[in-house]
């Protein structure tokens, strides 16, 4: 079988998650090409060598610029802080590599548009890693919506909360620095929720929003003093969808009591759906056709005919968070092999970024802002 | 014991609920004055006589104008469509009666201000019936917040959904007529949620909002054809609180799968609270002090030292929706007897109405609107 | 309308609950006879007079022997400790009164059989107050089972827990004295669960069991020292049903964290049902016909076509624990007026008592015991 | 680093799960020896070769007898039907190999005792794969119990349900053949629950029980006709623990609506714990010290200081079912490297088997049976 040699740029949280996916995917799914964990790339040589060993890569490298040009590399998988997505993706595309990029695609829509132009110009496969589209319960939600089981959708309600910043001593990392991250909760958590809203309901046309930074300064992680936080801790927004639905969005790092509460609910003319990532094997479905015996059904999404599940275990044996990356890797490999586009791609990333930018604009302008179509 | 002769104006849904409260309150709570169900008032004489018999009133009457002037009446309890709150309350106050008024107080802040002026001028006791303040779990939530258990509140998230209008054949009643109701979901459900937000978090200063009427015409209940709906089916809003919290609000009659889902969550620096009216005996409390053994605790709010519970049954024996009116009646009777103000009163109603009006303005202006202080 | 003059014997917990039912039932349900709270009876004259006033009775009395013979009394409602059920019921029946008796019917099957013989001999209406049959969700469960929605029932799992005795200082009351109560958790909580098992699944034929008294002595309530506990704190049992189902039963006053956790689940060839009294407005239904979209549906049992609900509030407005007594009163009044038997009756009480007795025998014999049919 | 060459016997469900664990463990946990997936063994050469490729083994083999004697093999991991556990384990021990055996250890206590004798005689490391001890939430439960947070345990309630056999057309596999499986639900599901009961509460001393086969014949999987089922479909039992707790057990393959519902609750003098495998990242804890603010807390067991979690992802990122095998592999490798015993071991398996045997005896004798100590 043809190999697919992968270079992962970044070896922290996301690098580890992606590495696990590349290692595992071929042991559960039939693949047209076999992924090879060729090289992992990071700034600190010792740490990168250790990561290569721990995570199962053949090589460690320090220069992403060199890595993306290596002729033996087929796919560049970008797991760096957000600010690096743009240069790496453009360089990788220019070198003719397939590009897999962690979310959010970029710091803003301008960067995102340039990245999309680059992959299009180069004609390379591109995929944005919004892994939650591949939670089986969410993929099932999409299938049920496509089948018309919700009818006309009236409401979307998306809430994504963690509570990492409630403690004033929680350190300021790159995630709280606009230059590196592009934004705060609105980009980090908001990009997930906006991608899901697009995936399930469709495009948003207008937004009103509020952003807040509750704690303006935080200690640096290395004990080197205090630094300002110039991104939002939390964002709320009202959404209007092209299809007629109205929506609300709340993302926050001050959601006390919630660790990874990515929770949404859709109400339609025929039914409703609800999901919570902390119970990612479950989907709640309400079907109006059940009439006076109707109620939200808690589906345990582990059946063979639920999305991705045939590859795993018998019904009732749950998956975890990291499996979503395996599903993404599976679909990306198929896309690369077949030449079929895989979604979400950089265009999806650009469209999501336009919503994020509109939210940020609306928070400043104090009025509804239009999400540009182009 | 001194009697308190009550006239209830209106004998439908709310009239029945209030009547039950007046009948039951003295059998569970020690009262300074004994309520007498003196007269119930309605437009249709036969229906009103039947209601008087069923609900336990001594008399039926057709003219609220006459009833509110009767010297033997101590308290006028207004359970009519919203448009009548204003004339009845003002007339009752002018006649020196204590006034108990169903929510929302009025169709708009102008009416509400006139009603407040009237009761103040007359010096009569006044109370607005926001019965959910007296759900024991919500009263407990308020107590916990007052004790500082949540610390600084960062987020309020209020969602109140039912699905009565998802069916396009659901008839157009007075609730869908602006002239009678003042608004749609935003006044009916929104007034509840705004009162709770004020009760638990404090005053709101600014709002952004969206209103929607999904179905513009509905059949009249009597089969007499079709009539336009000129109120909102659903409303969403962003909220800013004087105390620094940010909030979201969603109220809808298109919340498929939800029947009376009055649900809120508060996130603070020290803890969080969540409530859902469909499980009204429960309160979820998260206490950061529990550290790595922290989780949302589901309190069954039926303990003797929980609010109002000592009057009822041993722990574990749950209350229902109608008990909230009994608690309101209990507190109103005490207030009348002692001369102490009872909240929420007409000033609370006016303040809530200003938020509702601001939401309606913001939905039109497409920008944030300030909630006026006076 | 013809009156139904009620004498309630006992004015503590159950007396209060029954009194509330007699007061309220006519205001919600159409009745063939109007209940009159004629007299309440208790040993302590002052306390009974106070109860009469609080609870709304016309008279207080001290001698149940006199009350049950009064020609103006139509119905004797027995709310005393268990040991008094037998003499009062027999005397009331002999006096020609309809008899309504709190559960469990008696201290043992011998007493229960004598009581059944007495009401049969006298030809008087008789009803046992197992109020939980009239929780709307449970009445709905019964309806669904009768419609065949579960198919053949394989499993019954009944757990009824409270935690009143976990505290070693919880006082010893009549409920912990075999002479007054007939047994401990097994009679108090077990009688509820056994009645529900019979109601939903049918007769039990054999049992194996275990009883336990975790704390053998407790303080007397009046501070007058320590007294032995001669009843069980907890009971577990295996059940066999005539219809082929197997069952488990656990009842305990040591169920830490549970206040009134009357919880059961039924598994059948076509579906399953689950209920928990602490969420008494809900019923969980699993329907195998939903196939790969199957899941337990949480029904909010507040619809107009759910049992008893048409008399109450619009959908979504929940009932509480005390409403179950109102439903029982409603059905008893209809039964008395029509001459139709009302279940559960004293025969049901006898049959349940035979199961309780068999459990107590099995706990001693350490082997399966047969539940006698006669 | 020293290698640990693993031979896995069996490549179906459990073989796949164990293979995944051997592949992944070294990428997340620091290990004293590096596991090598040396050989997988199965009866069908083509299927075994395919499995070796898919699962990542270096070799495929057909004869377990030869494999267990190979000098290059360090560990024999038994994932076969139950009847083969005994001969393979004994042969592997005789060959001086460490032995890792799927649950249940054997078909009965006689076999189990011989297996224990064999590993002891050979002085080889031995571990029984009861993977659920290594669900982080269950490991945390054990820690909390050991810390005394529940106080004296009064009740254990274990229910393990799936619904694979509700369909009468579900085929008869080796799991429904006593000669291959040793028993039905009682050995398959019951062994899990009994292991957890021992892990959390301690030894059981006496049992009463009921077994049932609801459907006596089933189609063979290959369409070759019908075959009798000679094992139980469901088992219920009462348990007595040496430490004074009483317990109930229910295991069934007829638990309609449940797919892998391994659910237990413990009630103690100071607190309670509840767990459900279908939500394996959660543990419910009730602490009486919380007094009138007490309630079951839903812990999301994903914190760094929860068992095994420091190796995985940031808080809030959930694990799945297969992770439990990774944790078992991690602990077994440490045990082999250090010479420290790892639990559960074959003695645990023997003790669990004695309980299972006692349950089977009790179901026949219709009386309580003692669990032998030796």
């Amino acid at each position: 079988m043809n190999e697919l040699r992968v270079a992962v740029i970044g070896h922290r949280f996301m690098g580890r998650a992606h590495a696990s996916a590349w290692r595992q995917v071929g042991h559960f799914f039939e693949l047209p090409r076999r992924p090879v964990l060729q090289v992992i790339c990071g700034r600190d040589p010792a740490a990168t060598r250790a990561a290569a060993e721990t995570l199962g890569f053949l090589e460690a490298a320090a220069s992403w610029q060199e890595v993306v040009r290596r002729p033996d590399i087929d796919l560049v998988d970008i797991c760096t802080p957000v600010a690096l997505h743009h240069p790496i993706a453009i360089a990788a595309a220019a070198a003719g590599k397939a590009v897999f990029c962690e979310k959010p695609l970029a710091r803003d829509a301008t960067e995102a548009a340039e990245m999309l132009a680059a992959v299009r110009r180069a004609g390379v496969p591109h995929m944005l890693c919004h892994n939650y589209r591949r939670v089986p319960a969410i993929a099932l939600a999409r299938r049920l919506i496509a089948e018309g089981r919700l009818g006309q959708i009236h409401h979307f309600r998306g809430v994504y909360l963690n509570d990492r910043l409630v403690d004033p001593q929680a350190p300021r990392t790159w995630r709280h620095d606009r230059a590196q991250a592009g934004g705060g909760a609105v980009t980090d958590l908001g990009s997930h929720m906006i991608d899901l809203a697009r995936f399930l309901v469709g495009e948003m046309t207008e937004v009103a929003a509020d952003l807040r930074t509750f704690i303006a300064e935080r200690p640096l992680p290395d004990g080197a003093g205090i630094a300002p936080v110039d991104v939002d801790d939390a964002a709320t927004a009202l959404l209007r969808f092209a299809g007629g639905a109205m929506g609300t969005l709340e993302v926050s790092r001050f959601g006390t009591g919630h660790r990874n509460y990515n929770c949404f609910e859709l109400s339609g003319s025929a039914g409703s759906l609800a999901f919570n990532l902390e119970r990612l094997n479950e989907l709640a479905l309400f079907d109006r056709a059940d009439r006076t015996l109707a109620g939200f059904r808690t589906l345990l999404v582990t059946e063979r005919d639920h999305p991705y599940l045939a590859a795993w275990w018998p019904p009732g044996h749950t998956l975890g968070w990291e499996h979503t990356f395996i599903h993404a890797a599976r679909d990306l490999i198929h896309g690369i092999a077949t030449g079929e586009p895989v979604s979400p791609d950089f265009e999806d990333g650009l469209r999501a970024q336009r919503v994020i930018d509109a939210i940020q604009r609306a928070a400043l302008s104090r009025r509804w802002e239009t999400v540009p179509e182009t």
Side-chain angles (χ1 to χ4, degrees), chain A:
Chain A
M1 185 171 51
N2 207 348
E3 292 187 339
L4 181 80
R5 278 154 302 182
V6 178
V8 174
I9 318 297
H11 57 79
R12 317 279 288 203
F13 180 22
M14 281 301 126
R16 291 178 69 227
H18 285 226
S20 179
W22 295 121
R23 283 196 311 267
Q24 286 283 75
V25 60
H27 298 298
F28 291 95
F29 291 93
E30 261 191 66
L31 297 176
R33 292 180 67 178
R34 187 168 69 80
V36 174
L37 285 74
Q38 187 66 42
V39 58
I40 191 157
C41 184
R43 270 177 292 198
D44 176 334
T48 310
R49 273 195 307 274
E53 172 141 357
T54 299
L55 302 179
F57 285 83
L58 298 173
E59 306 167 51
S63 160
W64 65 259
Q65 290 88 345
E66 291 174 19
V67 164
V68 302
R69 283 195 303 260
R70 277 173 52 165
D72 62 328
I73 293 299
D74 299 307
L75 171 65
V76 173
D77 178 359
I78 306 172
C79 295
T80 63
V82 179
L84 288 170
H85 292 188
H86 179 265
I88 298 174
I90 289 174
K97 309 305 183 193
V99 188
F100 186 41
C101 185
E102 252 306 310
K103 46 64 57 178
L105 185 58
R107 288 179 295 183
D108 56 37
T110 305
E111 280 192 351
E114 291 168 2
M115 293 163 77
L116 174 59
V119 291
R120 283 194 170 151
R121 196 161 48 232
V124 295
H126 48 102
M127 184 180 184
L128 179 63
C129 186
H130 270 302
N131 57 313
Y132 295 148
R133 288 198 184 197
R134 289 171 168 88
V135 172
I138 293 178
L140 178 61
R142 160 94 163 193
R143 183 197 289 174
L144 296 173
I145 291 166
E147 291 171 0
R149 283 185 163 267
L150 297 203
Q152 173 76 17
I153 294 177
H154 297 120
H155 291 292
F156 172 81
R157 188 178 318 116
V159 177
Y160 198 161
L161 306 178
N162 66 43
D163 57 4
R164 297 207 196 161
L165 297 189
V166 177
D167 181 352
Q169 295 309 309
R172 177 188 173 282
T173 71
W174 69 265
R175 293 178 186 276
H176 318 121
D177 174 4
R178 177 175 302 272
Q180 291 184 77
V186 75
T187 45
D188 178 17
L189 306 176
S191 63
H192 273 304
M193 194 51 83
I194 287 162
D195 183 66
L196 291 174
R198 291 185 62 251
F199 183 54
L200 298 171
V201 188
E203 300 299 338
M204 283 150 271
T205 55
E206 291 173 278
V207 299
D210 203 11
L211 298 184
R212 189 72 53 85
T213 306
F214 291 110
I215 295 183
E217 293 184 323
R218 290 183 175 276
L220 288 165
D222 52 6
I226 296 279
V229 172
D230 63 357
V231 298
D232 59 288
D233 290 330
T236 57
L238 306 181
L239 311 172
R240 289 190 161 189
F241 289 87
M246 61 198 305
T248 61
L249 173 81
E250 178 181 354
V251 294
S252 177
R253 293 161 169 168
F254 275 71
T256 300
H258 298 290
R259 294 310 240 161
N260 200 7
Y261 185 76
N262 177 341
C263 186
F264 61 80
E265 184 168 348
L266 300 155
S267 308
S269 59
S272 291
L273 283 172
F275 173 81
N276 167 8
L277 184 66
E278 291 179 353
R279 290 178 173 168
L280 70 77
N281 296 279
E282 299 181 12
L283 183 69
L285 166 66
F286 182 93
D287 188 340
R288 285 187 68 219
D290 292 332
R291 301 176 64 86
T292 59
L293 295 179
F296 276 90
R297 303 177 196 170
T298 304
L299 309 188
L300 190 66
V301 186
T302 60
E303 300 296 312
R304 293 215 156 268
D305 60 357
H306 291 159
Y308 300 103
L309 266 303
W312 294 103
W313 314 107
H317 295 79
T318 57
L319 302 186
W321 170 82
E322 80 210 44
H323 291 79
T324 57
F325 294 93
I326 301 175
H327 301 162
R330 183 259 170 214
D331 290 345
L332 175 56
I333 293 170
H334 275 271
I336 290 172
T338 62
E340 295 293 321
V342 188
S343 72
D345 63 10
F346 282 22
E347 180 171 351
D348 291 290
L350 171 58
R351 287 181 178 275
Q353 197 67 50
R354 286 178 185 144
V355 181
I356 294 171
D357 289 6
I359 288 173
Q360 291 180 313
R361 280 200 311 278
L364 289 174
S365 71
R366 313 287 294 150
R367 52 185 309 133
W368 287 76
E369 294 286 342
T370 299
V371 179
E373 290 235 15
T374 55

